[in-house]
């Protein structure tokens, strides 16, 4: 994985591709052999409060790129510093119902470093098992969002853009592992 762009599944209707017209945002999907990093957004945040998400947020004019946005937001929300030169893969951007085009960046680490949540933005840090992330049977087609995926885990409902990003990334990781 050397700063590559990953491709979509055969069923792009399950992904809600970004149009390029939405407000730009970026998220960081961090995977270790044991866990995927997720957060529960603070209920105090104006948008997406209480939702399960990947660390990330809106592009700001000082950001040099969307990769920079994902790195900055990950640092602000959970105090993980992903270096500028760290290998990553970019997944196709997905649109939200709230007008954002979210650009996911996928990073593999050997372990999750010490994390400190920003209590203004993050209710709690969640370590989602990589084995569950890679179990495609743990995802269901949404009953409320026609054609999209969702999953439940330990009392948390993961849906919307976060579930779509996880689902796509799981397929890609599985395909890559089959090649080796």
């Amino acid at each position: 994985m050397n700063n590559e762009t990953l491709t979509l599944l055969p069923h792009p209707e399950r992904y809600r591709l970004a149009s390029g017209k939405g407000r730009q945002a970026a998220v960081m999907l961090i995977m270790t052999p044991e866990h995927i990093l997720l957060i529960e957004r603070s209920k105090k945040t104006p948008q997406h409060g209480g939702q399960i998400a990947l660390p990330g947020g809106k592009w700001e004019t000082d950001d040099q790129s969307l990769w920079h946005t994902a790195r900055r937001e990950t640092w602000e929300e959970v105090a993980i510093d992903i270096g500028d030169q760290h290998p990553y893969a970019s997944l196709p951007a997905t649109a939200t119902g709230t007008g954002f085009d979210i650009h996911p960046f996928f990073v593999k680490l050997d372990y999750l470093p010490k994390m400190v949540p920003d209590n203004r933005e993050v209710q709690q840090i969640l370590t989602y098992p990589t084995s569950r992330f890679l179990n495609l049977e743990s995802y269901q087609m949404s009953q409320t969002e026609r054609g999209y995926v969702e999953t439940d885990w330990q009392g948390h409902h993961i849906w919307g853009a976060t579930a779509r990003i996880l689902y796509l990334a799981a397929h890609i990781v599985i395909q890559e592992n089959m090649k080796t």
Side-chain angles (χ1 to χ4, degrees):
M1 186 165 50
N2 285 325
N3 308 346
E4 57 187 289
T5 300
L6 301 174
T7 56
L8 278 173
L9 301 172
H11 303 287
E13 70 277 3
R14 294 182 181 170
Y15 196 65
R16 192 190 278 182
L17 284 173
S19 66
K21 297 177 184 173
R23 291 174 286 170
Q24 301 301 296
V27 296
M28 187 77 70
L29 195 170
I30 299 172
M31 182 179 93
T32 72
E34 291 83 28
H35 297 103
I36 298 291
L37 174 63
L38 296 174
I39 60 172
E40 180 181 353
R41 295 222 171 267
S42 170
K43 292 174 179 56
K44 300 173 194 169
T45 56
Q47 290 197 325
H48 313 293
Q51 293 180 7
I52 305 304
L54 297 161
K58 291 185 264 187
W59 178 83
E60 295 181 359
T61 55
D62 290 344
D63 291 340
Q64 300 160 358
S65 64
L66 288 162
W67 168 237
H68 182 264
T69 302
R71 290 177 39 246
R72 175 184 52 77
E73 287 283 346
T74 300
W75 172 254
E76 289 174 6
E77 292 179 352
V78 294
I80 293 178
D81 184 15
I82 302 293
D84 187 41
Q85 299 303 312
H86 190 92
Y88 67 88
S90 57
L91 292 141
T94 187
T96 69
T98 54
F100 285 96
D101 286 351
I102 299 178
H103 299 263
F105 292 90
F106 182 66
V107 170
K108 291 182 182 178
L109 299 177
D110 293 329
Y111 62 91
L112 287 174
K114 181 179 182 205
M115 298 171 279
V116 180
D118 176 341
N119 294 332
R120 292 170 293 160
E121 296 188 57
V122 178
Q123 187 77 25
Q124 66 176 319
I125 294 172
L126 304 169
T127 52
Y128 187 66
T130 299
S131 59
R132 182 168 173 84
F133 158 67
L134 294 174
N135 179 358
L136 298 178
E137 292 179 10
S138 69
Y139 301 89
Q140 301 87 40
M141 295 307 291
S142 173
Q143 299 303 309
T144 56
E145 249 188 310
R146 195 172 75 108
Y148 304 121
V149 296
E150 61 189 354
T151 188
D152 291 307
W153 169 70
Q154 293 188 347
H156 300 287
H157 185 64
I158 304 168
W159 62 283
T162 301
R164 289 192 303 275
I165 292 165
L166 291 174
Y167 185 68
L168 174 64
H171 274 85
I172 291 167
V173 170
I174 290 167
Q175 288 173 357
E176 290 299 312
N177 287 342
M178 291 173 85
K179 291 178 185 176
T180 58

